[in-house]
């Protein structure tokens, strides 16, 4: 009987240690956001109005100062904007606009085991947890290299389809990932690749890793996303569509 109890306790602690190790933060990456000023971007956002140009320059500067933080364990990752304090009404407005343009207002949680991306969205004073299955098969791996910092990265690309106010919309996305850091994590929903993602280009928006720490010395807590109603992307699209229709009717 004593032998059985000892075996049970040993197995319990072995399980506990493995669970804890799975949640131990082993990496941290800070990204910023910039805009590639293509012809299409200039036609869409730039104007002859000096005040409007000044606003967009202020928005671009805010994106460059963003601290978009990715922290990860062996099994999970959390990606979010670390909010700094903003002073002054002009900077505050540019900061809020930058969050919208650079899509930096949401928190993302990725589970390697479940291959599930959970996005936390605050919409009309309600919190939603939008769950989607990650599909890595739509990436095309290309034999192109680029060195980012001290890491050799490889290029992958895809055509990403999503629902916008105009309906189904496609955007070309490219990522640079490094097999030297063999973790399937990256910013937002850019996960599941054979290496840590250090650079992303989605349309005209570019996310660059500006700080990379593996096994950081500071204590970092990897939080689970638990706050909000769990729904699918299609369910959330219906809620958003209905809210827009109600707004138009007013």
């Amino acid at each position: 009987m004593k032998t059985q109890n000892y075996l049970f306790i040993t197995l319990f602690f072995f399980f506990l240690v493995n669970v804890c190790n799975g949640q131990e933060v082993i990496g941290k990456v800070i990204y910023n956001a910039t805009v590639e000023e293509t012809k299409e971007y200039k036609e869409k956002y730039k104007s002859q109005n000096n005040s409007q140009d000044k606003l967009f320059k202020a928005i671009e500067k805010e994106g460059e100062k963003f601290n978009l933080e990715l922290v990860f364990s062996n099994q999970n990752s959390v990606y979010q904007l670390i909010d700094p304090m903003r002073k002054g009404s002009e900077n505050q407005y540019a900061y809020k606009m930058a969050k919208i343009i650079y899509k930096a207002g949401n928190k993302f949680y990725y589970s390697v085991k479940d291959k599930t991306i959970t996005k936390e969205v605050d919409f009309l004073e309600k919190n939603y947890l939008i769950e989607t299955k990650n599909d890595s098969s739509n990436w095309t791996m290309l034999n192109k290299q680029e060195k980012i910092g001290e890491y050799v990265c490889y290029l992958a690309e895809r055509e990403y389809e999503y629902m916008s106010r105009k309906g189904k919309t496609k955007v070309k996305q490219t990522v640079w990932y490094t097999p030297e850091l063999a973790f399937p994590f990256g910013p937002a929903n850019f996960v599941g690749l054979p290496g840590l993602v250090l650079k992303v280009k989605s349309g005209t928006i570019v996310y660059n890793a500006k700080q990379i720490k593996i096994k950081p010395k500071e204590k970092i807590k990897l939080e689970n996303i638990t706050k909000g109603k769990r729904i699918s992307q299609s369910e959330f699209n219906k809620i958003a569509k209905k809210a827009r229709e109600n707004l138009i009717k007013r």
Side-chain angles (χ1 to χ4, degrees):
M1 188 69 179
K2 287 183 179 180
T3 304
Q4 288 179 333
N5 287 339
Y6 177 79
L7 181 61
F8 173 80
I9 292 168
T10 303
L11 289 171
F12 173 78
F13 276 103
F14 178 78
F15 172 78
L16 187 64
V17 167
N18 274 291
V19 169
C20 291
N21 285 341
Q23 286 297 101
E24 180 187 355
V25 171
I26 58 173
K28 172 183 170 181
V29 183
I30 301 293
Y31 303 85
N32 66 2
T34 58
V35 173
E36 183 181 69
E37 295 196 11
T38 60
K39 182 182 177 182
E40 291 77 14
Y41 172 81
K42 289 177 181 178
E43 287 175 354
K44 186 175 181 180
Y45 293 112
K46 299 292 180 177
S47 71
Q48 299 300 317
N49 187 317
N50 286 335
S51 61
Q52 189 171 332
D53 280 346
K54 284 180 181 178
L55 173 60
F56 276 103
K57 283 179 182 177
I59 291 169
E60 288 170 5
K61 284 182 180 179
E62 289 298 320
E64 289 171 4
K65 291 187 288 186
F66 273 174
N67 287 320
L68 294 157
E69 182 188 69
L70 171 72
V71 293
F72 55 89
S73 66
N74 283 317
Q75 294 297 318
N76 305 296
S77 69
V78 177
Y79 170 79
Q80 62 185 318
L81 173 64
I82 305 302
D83 264 329
M85 293 296 291
R86 292 291 191 236
K87 294 180 180 179
S89 58
E90 186 179 346
N91 282 345
Q92 185 68 28
Y93 180 72
Y95 172 68
K96 288 180 179 178
M97 288 298 295
K99 281 178 73 174
I100 295 169
I101 290 172
Y102 296 122
K103 300 177 182 176
N106 301 320
K107 186 176 181 180
F108 290 81
Y109 179 83
Y110 177 57
S111 168
V112 175
K113 181 182 177 182
D114 301 328
K115 293 184 179 180
T116 301
I117 301 167
T118 305
K119 180 170 68 172
E120 184 180 304
V121 177
D122 184 6
F123 184 70
L124 298 178
E125 299 182 351
K126 289 184 180 180
N127 258 63
Y128 295 96
L129 301 177
I130 304 171
E131 294 186 341
T132 55
K133 281 288 183 182
N134 182 48
D135 182 12
S136 302
S137 64
N138 56 3
W139 288 102
T140 301
M141 307 299 177
L142 302 174
N143 191 25
K144 291 185 179 179
Q145 295 183 16
E146 179 178 311
K147 199 161 186 182
I148 299 176
E150 59 184 281
Y151 303 104
V152 176
C153 298
Y154 293 86
L155 182 64
E157 65 178 18
R158 71 179 177 184
E159 287 286 327
Y160 184 70
E161 186 176 275
Y162 65 98
M163 289 296 294
S164 69
R165 292 181 183 181
K166 298 177 182 178
K168 284 186 179 180
T169 306
K170 286 186 178 182
V171 62
K172 184 179 179 181
Q173 297 180 330
T174 60
V175 298
W176 291 95
Y177 65 92
T178 176
E180 293 176 28
L181 299 173
F183 308 110
F185 305 116
N189 61 342
F190 298 96
V191 294
L193 289 126
L196 190 65
V197 174
L198 300 186
K199 183 178 179 180
V200 172
K201 185 181 172 215
S202 180
T204 58
I205 308 301
V206 181
Y207 303 94
N208 289 290
K210 60 180 182 178
Q211 185 185 109
I212 305 163
K213 289 184 179 180
I214 303 301
K215 295 184 180 178
K217 293 180 180 179
E218 70 264 37
K219 288 185 178 180
I220 304 170
K221 188 178 179 182
L222 189 66
E223 298 176 359
N224 289 340
I225 296 180
T226 56
K227 182 183 170 186
K229 181 181 178 181
R230 292 184 179 272
I231 59 175
S232 67
Q233 184 66 58
S234 59
E235 288 171 324
F236 179 76
N237 290 342
K238 289 175 184 177
I239 292 169
K241 184 180 179 182
K242 188 175 181 180
R244 286 195 297 269
E245 289 172 351
N246 290 338
L247 189 63
I248 292 168
K249 287 177 184 177
R250 289 181 184 178

